[in-house]
Amino acid sequence: MEVIDRKYMKRALALARRGVGKTAPNPAVGCVIVKDGIIVGEGWHKKAGEPHAEAEALVMAGEMARGADAYVTLEPCCHTGRTPPCSKALAEAGVKRVIAGMSDPNPMVNGNGVKYLESKGIMVYLGMMEEECRNINRGFIKQMTKGVPYITYKCAMTLDGRIATYSGDSRWISSAESRKRGHRLRALSDAVMVGVDTVISDDPLLTVRDVKGRNPVRIILDSRLRTAENSAIIESTRLGEAGTIIATISTDEALTRRYLDKGVSILHCAELDGRVDPVDMLERLGERGINSILLEGGGKVAGELLKLGLIDECLFFYAPLAAGGDGYPAFAINGISEIASAYRFRISQISKSGCDIMVRAFPEKLCSQD
C-alpha cells in the first residue's frame, strides 16, 4: 500500500510546486483524491485568499469523494480564515482516509486538523514523504516557527571567491544558464533583497526574465536612503512593474515622501550600530506576509546576515575565472585569524550549470534544521 500511497503523494507534491512563490503568507499545498485506484479530483493552492488545494480537489471529485482517499501535502486546516476549514470539508464530503505529508506548523492547526478528522471516523496517516513536503514550504515553516522569512543567499563568483573585480565590475561572471537559474529562483521567492551598495554600483532591475513567473517584491537594505530616485528599481516601481520596499532608519520626511510618491514602500526599522537592525527588519517583513527571501548581494549584507545566523542556505555559482585578491568577496567578514573560527557549511549538492559549478550549502549551525 505504501508504494501506491507514495505514487499519489508524488502527484500531490507536483501540484503543490505549481504554487511555490505565489501563495504567501500561506503555504504551497497540493491535494489528490483517489477512489478505486482512479484520480477523481485534484487541486493546488494558487494564491492567498483563493480556495485551498483540498477545496479545489473536492469540487472536481464531486460525489466521487465519498469513500475516497485524500492525499494532501500538508495537514488540512481546521480554522476559518479567508476560506472555510478544509478538514471539515473533507469530512462532509465523506472521504474515508486522509494521507498527509506533514503536520501544519501554524499553531492554530498543528495537530488539530488530524484530531478533527479522526473524531469524524476518518483514518489519518501523517508523515508520507515528509521531507519532500517540508522542502517546498521552508519559508512558511520558518515564518511560523521563528517569526522571520527563510533566506537563501545566491551569488555568482570566480573560482577564487570574488563576486566582482576591484572596480566593482561583475557583469557577467556566471554563464547564461546560471543566470537563467537565478531568474527561476526569483520567480519562486516572495522577495529578492540587495544592499544599497549593490543598487548604486550595478543599478539592477531584479525582475524575472528569461523564464515564466511573477516578479518578487524587491527589498533594498538602505539605512540612510541613498538609493537614487532615477535608479532602475525605483523607475520600474513607478511604472508598476514590481513592488519595492526600502528598509531604513532614516527619518528624512521629504525624501521619504518622494519615494512614496513613486510607489515605494518605506519600512522604518530599529537601529543597530548605526544601521538597520536585520532581525527587526526580517520580523517586520514576515509580518507583511513575506515567507522567503532570495538574497542577491552584496558581500557586506551577506557577511552581516551570516554572522547573525540569519542565512538558511546558499547557492554558489562558481565561474571558471580568477579576479585576484583585491576583488570583492562573497562574504565581507573580517577578523578571522584561525581556521577553527571560520564559518563552516555543509555541502548538499554540487552540479554543473553551463560552464559553471553550482554548490548548494547550508551554514553548519543550521544543518540540524534542514
Side-chain angles (χ1 to χ4, degrees), residues 18-36:
R18 297 182 184 182
V20 173
K22 304 171 185 175
T23 61
N26 294 347
V29 182
C31 179
V32 173
I33 297 176
V34 180
K35 187 169 186 178
D36 299 328

Side-chain angles (χ1 to χ4, degrees), residues 1-15 17 30 32 34 39 69-73 97-101 125-133 135:
M1 177 63 87
E2 184 173 345
V3 173
I4 296 175
D5 286 341
R6 288 180 64 87
K7 169 187 173 182
Y8 294 121
M9 185 57 76
K10 285 181 180 178
R11 175 58 184 166
L13 275 163
L15 292 168
R17 290 189 184 99
V32 173
V34 180
I39 294 177
D69 294 335
Y71 296 83
V72 59
T73 55
R97 194 167 69 116
V98 172
I99 301 90
Y125 178 86
L126 185 66
M128 172 63 63
M129 300 183 68
E130 182 174 3
E131 182 178 356
E132 292 89 336
C133 291
N135 282 344

Side-chain angles (χ1 to χ4, degrees), residues 264-282:
V264 176
S265 178
I266 300 297
L267 185 69
H268 290 286
C269 303
E271 182 177 339
L272 178 67
D273 299 328
R275 301 187 301 276
V276 166
D277 180 343
V279 175
D280 180 70
M281 175 189 67
L282 292 175

Side-chain angles (χ1 to χ4, degrees), residues 164-242:
T165 64
Y166 77 92
S167 67
D169 181 39
S170 62
R171 295 185 179 179
W172 296 103
I173 288 178
S174 59
S175 66
E177 175 59 28
S178 296
R179 296 197 295 275
K180 187 174 182 178
R181 286 193 179 193
H183 284 282
R184 191 173 295 115
L185 288 169
R186 287 180 186 174
L188 296 176
S189 303
D190 297 332
V192 57
M193 182 166 68
V194 296
V196 65
D197 288 341
T198 295
V199 175
I200 292 172
S201 63
D202 295 348
D203 194 23
L205 193 56
L206 300 180
T207 54
V208 173
R209 302 181 296 280
D210 301 325
V211 299
K212 291 183 178 179
R214 61 97 184 90
N215 289 321
V217 174
R218 286 86 54 91
I219 301 168
I220 305 173
L221 189 52
D222 184 1
S223 297
R224 302 298 175 186
L225 292 182
R226 294 188 293 131
T227 301
E229 294 177 58
N230 64 347
S231 65
I233 288 179
I234 302 303
E235 278 300 295
S236 67
T237 305
R238 182 182 64 81
L239 295 172
E241 295 173 353

Side-chain angles (χ1 to χ4, degrees), residues 107-135:
M108 291 188 292
V109 182
N110 201 254
N112 294 320
V114 171
K115 289 178 182 178
Y116 178 85
L117 291 168
E118 291 178 335
S119 73
K120 298 300 180 179
I122 298 171
M123 294 182 289
V124 180
Y125 178 86
L126 185 66
M128 172 63 63
M129 300 183 68
E130 182 174 3
E131 182 178 356
E132 292 89 336
C133 291
R134 291 180 66 86
N135 282 344

Side-chain angles (χ1 to χ4, degrees), residues 3 21 57 73 106 137 154 163 175 268 286 312 315 327 330 364:
V3 173
T73 55
N106 186 337
N137 277 310
K154 186 274 295 184
I163 60 175
S175 66
H268 290 286
D312 295 282
L315 287 171
E364 191 172 64

